[in-house]
Amino acid sequence: MSICDLEQHLSLIDFPGRLTVSVADPGAVHPPLHPVEEAAVLRAVSGRRAEFAAGRVAARMALAQMGLPGVSIPMAEDRAPVWPAGTVGSISHTGTACIAITGDSEDYAGLGIDLEDAGSLDISLRREIGTKKELDQISDDHGIAATRLFSLKEAAYKAQYNLSRTVFGFGALELTDGGKCLRFARPVPPFKKGDCLPVLQWNVGDMWLSLCALSASFLHVKS
């Protein structure tokens, strides 16, 4: 699917309020990375560099829509993007498209976006992603369901990481509420066991797009 086709699909999505979304083609020629960004991929292979560069381009375009043109987005030691003060965001890369979403930190405590090529996940990986109960909430075709669940959990993980800075596996989050939320199976401070992260998912051509947007009041509501 071309970037133009992806942008057309995205234009039909009613994203939550005051979020900006942009995409970029990793196969296109983009302006040079900022020096602080270049340092993150000095030893990376060409494919990784292309995806990283397109992701930064998409992120800069999203931030420009917020009135922050041309800013640098360095990579922290934990490899997470470092967003400008007062903003939150998320980036997702594939071999054919990169997408970024940004918002104001007064509105959102964390954002997570994930873009995955549609298709069936290999049976050897499905148990690692989720349980039969989780997969059944998405589709009778567990190969397709596993791909979609992987994307949902990736988006939720990214959103919560902005608050917890904790690395964990797929089993720490359980799909519930008919696929509308991912529940913590154990405490991951500041989240408690049972806290739910809201998730949304759309089919965009031959890809799945997942989003987790945590409002700035999320933890206050949960406390």
Side-chain angles (χ1 to χ4, degrees):
M1 181 172 59
S2 71
I3 291 297
C4 288
D5 288 339
L6 178 57
E7 288 176 330
Q8 184 173 3
H9 282 285
L10 294 176
S11 70
L12 302 176
I13 295 176
D14 185 17
F15 287 102
R18 298 186 67 185
L19 290 175
T20 57
V21 180
S22 289
V23 297
D25 183 353
V29 176
H30 297 295
L33 290 167
H34 293 194
V36 69
E37 299 166 341
E38 179 68 33
V41 287
L42 281 177
R43 297 177 178 84
V45 298
S46 58
R48 164 62 179 158
R49 286 181 60 87
E51 291 183 11
F52 182 91
R56 262 37 186 193
V57 167
R60 261 191 280 283
M61 290 191 295
L63 289 167
Q65 295 178 53
M66 298 177 61
L68 296 169
V71 297
S72 298
I73 307 148
M75 186 170 71
E77 290 187 5
D78 60 4
R79 301 183 65 81
V82 179
W83 299 95
T87 70
V88 291
S90 180
I91 303 171
S92 183
H93 312 92
T94 75
T96 59
C98 297
I99 188 168
I101 191 165
T102 57
D104 196 304
S105 59
E106 290 187 358
D107 299 322
Y108 296 98
L111 294 172
I113 200 163
D114 186 72
L115 189 64
E116 298 291 334
D117 292 326
S120 181
L121 196 67
D122 189 88
I123 192 170
S124 63
L125 300 174
R126 295 175 196 172
R127 288 186 179 179
E128 181 181 344
I129 304 303
T131 64
K132 180 180 183 298
K133 182 179 179 181
E134 290 179 282
L135 297 175
D136 283 342
Q137 294 179 64
I138 298 176
S139 172
D140 292 335
D141 184 331
H142 281 187
I144 299 297
T147 299
R148 295 179 60 184
L149 182 59
F150 174 86
S151 184
L152 287 167
K153 288 192 175 184
E154 282 289 298
Y157 172 82
K158 291 177 182 179
Q160 70 79 36
Y161 188 80
N162 192 55
L163 296 169
S164 75
R165 297 294 163 178
T166 300
V167 177
F168 52 71
F170 291 106
L173 292 172
E174 299 173 337
L175 192 69
T176 186
D177 194 20
K180 296 178 181 178
C181 108
L182 284 159
R183 179 176 58 201
F184 279 92
R186 60 177 175 82
V188 179
F191 302 97
K192 303 184 293 293
K193 179 179 179 180
D195 279 353
C196 281
L197 306 178
V199 287
L200 296 168
Q201 190 173 72
W202 302 271
N203 179 229
V204 288
D206 56 1
M207 295 182 175
W208 289 104
L209 176 66
S210 301
L211 172 66
C212 180
L214 304 180
S215 69
S217 61
F218 180 82
L219 291 177
H220 175 73
V221 171
K222 292 294 181 183
S223 63

